Amino acid sequence: MRKSLDLIIPVYNSHDTLVRALASVAFNDIDFKLKVYIVNDGSSKGYMEEAEIFKDLLDITIFDLDVNRGVGYARKYGLEHSDGDYVAFLDADDLIYDFKSLQTLYDLIDSKNYDYAYGAIIQEAYGIGEVVEVHNGCLHGKIYNREYLRKKHITFNTTRTSEDYGFNNLCVLGTYNFSRTDEVVYIYKDNKKSLTKGIDLTKTIDNLVDFVDNIIYVMDHVENRFSKNVISFFLDAYFYVFKNYEYYKNQGEEERMITLLQKLEDKGKIYDEETISKVAPAFSFINFKNTLN
């Protein structure tokens, strides 16, 4: 018996783009059972009208949340209220690449019961597309084995941004049993109005707070915090935040940045200098802390 795939689409006032996204799904030629779950995250109106267009083409369930809680909560809700063998995610302003993309992902993960699998994506901004093949930090163009997610207790942190970063790194750090293809399967629309874009200082520092929250979320939920991969993940994330310190300091946000770095340093206390030196010989929290003084 062919296994089933759940496609989860979180939406918040996405009426202008959802029909196009659903059309890209309906266009797919597949030989497995597909269910589409629209998670309405407190939009100003519902999505029955959009779903009705595809009533003869797609099996669609709509979950209407009472208030807007953010995409992390919406994705988690969709994941916990669906039960297909495999699960994938689509943003309401993105597209499945072509008529065979879902089948490509399905066949890839199903061929050897992989824990997750992914294809290349086109990241499109201002109408110009760039093919991206390595994208462990995002949900786009991926398919997950629900049995693996349940076994490892992997779900979403309920932040408004960076929830995909936490989720995917838990997936990546929990297994070597995955597969990939160079075939393009997804078009990511680089929406400059989204929560993770724009030049508003308050928004960008809030996004960085969510990013740190998800680093800590991964560290609190990953199985082996002392593996080289996990230590490398943590140090890379710390470097990224530290790299932003001078910029936000000059913008008057020094206190918040020091707070974020201190949170990460406190989490990093599980590692002694000898443990860290096996992964990054030149790294020292003490030296980094001195830089802030």
Side-chain angles (χ1 to χ4, degrees):
M1 179 182 295
R2 299 292 276 169
K3 294 180 179 179
S4 58
L5 169 63
D6 293 334
L7 184 65
I8 297 171
I9 310 175
V11 291
Y12 177 67
N13 293 336
S14 305
H15 304 86
D16 292 341
T17 60
L18 181 60
V19 170
R20 185 182 62 183
L22 290 173
S24 76
V25 178
F27 185 59
N28 270 253
D29 184 11
I30 58 176
D31 65 5
F32 55 87
K33 184 177 182 180
L34 173 69
K35 288 187 177 182
V36 176
Y37 292 88
I38 298 172
V39 185
N40 174 15
D41 186 25
S43 301
S44 57
K45 65 176 184 177
Y47 293 88
M48 285 299 298
E49 182 178 339
E50 288 79 7
E52 184 70 12
I53 296 172
F54 299 93
K55 65 179 182 179
D56 297 326
L57 298 172
L58 296 172
D59 181 355
I60 298 177
T61 297
I62 300 176
F63 296 128
D64 289 309
L65 306 184
D66 53 353
V67 296
N68 176 254
R69 292 183 173 88
V71 67
Y73 183 92
R75 294 196 204 280
K76 183 175 182 179
Y77 189 95
L79 185 62
E80 293 178 350
H81 290 80
S82 57
D83 61 359
D85 301 295
Y86 302 125
V87 60
F89 298 89
L90 174 66
D91 288 351
D93 52 356
D94 293 345
L95 301 170
I96 302 299
Y97 178 65
D98 67 11
F99 71 94
K100 66 180 186 303
S101 296
L102 289 178
Q103 189 69 52
T104 295
L105 286 173
Y106 180 96
D107 290 342
L108 190 61
I109 195 170
D110 197 55
S111 62
K112 293 186 179 179
N113 196 34
Y114 289 113
D115 293 328
Y116 71 92
Y118 64 96
I121 68 173
I122 292 178
Q123 184 169 298
E124 183 179 292
Y126 306 111
I128 301 173
E130 175 187 5
V131 175
V132 180
E133 295 182 0
V134 179
H135 47 99
N136 284 339
C138 70
L139 298 168
H140 312 122
K142 289 189 173 71
I143 184 170
Y144 305 88
N145 192 323
R146 193 183 294 270
E147 181 181 0
Y148 168 64
L149 299 179
R150 285 172 174 164
K151 178 182 177 182
K152 298 287 187 175
H153 306 290
I154 297 173
T155 188
F156 290 92
N157 191 10
T158 55
T159 53
R160 288 186 174 271
T161 60
S162 294
E163 82 296 334
D164 53 347
Y165 178 81
F167 180 88
N168 275 293
N169 276 289
L170 282 174
C171 289
V172 170
L173 294 170
T175 183
Y176 291 102
N177 181 38
F178 69 94
S179 187
R180 61 177 293 275
T181 177
D182 292 335
E183 289 190 50
V184 174
V185 295
Y186 192 102
I187 301 176
Y188 169 64
K189 300 285 186 177
D190 197 357
N191 182 2
K192 299 304 177 184
K193 295 181 180 180
S194 75
L195 280 173
T196 55
K197 303 297 186 296
I199 59 174
D200 180 78
L201 179 63
T202 300
K203 182 187 294 184
T204 56
I205 190 74
D206 285 348
N207 290 345
L208 198 60
V209 170
D210 281 351
F211 179 74
V212 170
D213 194 320
N214 278 280
I215 297 170
I216 294 173
Y217 179 78
V218 172
M219 297 300 293
D220 286 343
H221 292 84
V222 74
E223 278 190 337
N224 184 1
R225 290 183 293 175
F226 290 90
S227 72
K228 287 187 177 181
N229 286 342
V230 174
I231 296 172
S232 294
F233 156 80
F234 180 73
L235 294 180
D236 286 346
Y238 186 92
F239 288 147
Y240 175 81
V241 177
F242 185 83
K243 176 171 77 172
N244 284 274
Y245 170 74
E246 283 296 328
Y247 170 77
Y248 285 107
K249 175 184 176 180
N250 295 334
Q251 298 297 318
E253 293 286 355
E254 181 178 15
E255 185 175 342
R256 290 184 78 183
M257 287 302 298
I258 290 177
T259 298
L260 292 179
L261 288 167
Q262 187 61 59
K263 286 177 69 175
L264 291 176
E265 288 175 19
D266 289 344
K267 186 57 61 176
K269 287 178 180 177
I270 62 172
Y271 304 126
D272 56 30
E273 294 293 320
E274 182 180 354
T275 300
I276 291 177
S277 67
K278 295 177 181 177
V279 177
F283 182 85
S284 169
F285 281 116
I286 296 174
N287 291 338
F288 268 67
K289 192 169 184 177
N290 288 339
T291 308
L292 302 181
N293 297 328

